[in-house]
Amino acid sequence: MAVRTADAEWRGALKDGTGRIKTESGALDGPYSFRSRFESDTGTNPEELIAAAHAGCFSMALANALASAGHPAERVSTTAKVHLDKAPGGFAIGRIDLVCEAEVPGLDEAGFKAQAEDAKANCPVSKALAATEITLTATLV
């Protein structure tokens, strides 16, 4: 199966250093810093990248599950909110909130919720992050 890579380099101390993250595909090549991670400075951060990966993976998994069940979605849109919190010994990702909205003709609310919960439990990124609480708000429109 596929192996994907990304590189990160950090220079300097934590608070005044700078880093750069890039993916092998070239889709991302950008800076990150203490301020982009813990404040509101420009640049990316690891939590934002986890959120992007989780939102993308969940959306694909849900779309696949819906189509496999005979209800192909017209649209699946997901936002992932990764919570970085102070914890004993430093910081930790304590929770990820998935907020999904989907257009699925011919599917009732109960069927949609069941497929969404299954996708949350079984998308590869959710499995990789299983030690973290993952919540789901799924809306059928």
Side-chain angles (χ1 to χ4, degrees), residues 38 83-95:
F38 296 101
H83 297 259
L84 178 64
D85 302 307
K86 194 152 177 96
F91 286 86
I93 295 172
R95 188 175 86 234

Side-chain angles (χ1 to χ4, degrees), residues 7-11 18-22 29-33 44:
D7 299 306
E9 180 177 85
W10 187 263
R11 293 178 178 261
T18 59
R20 187 156 204 89
I21 295 175
K22 61 182 175 178
D29 184 352
Y32 73 112
S33 67
T44 192

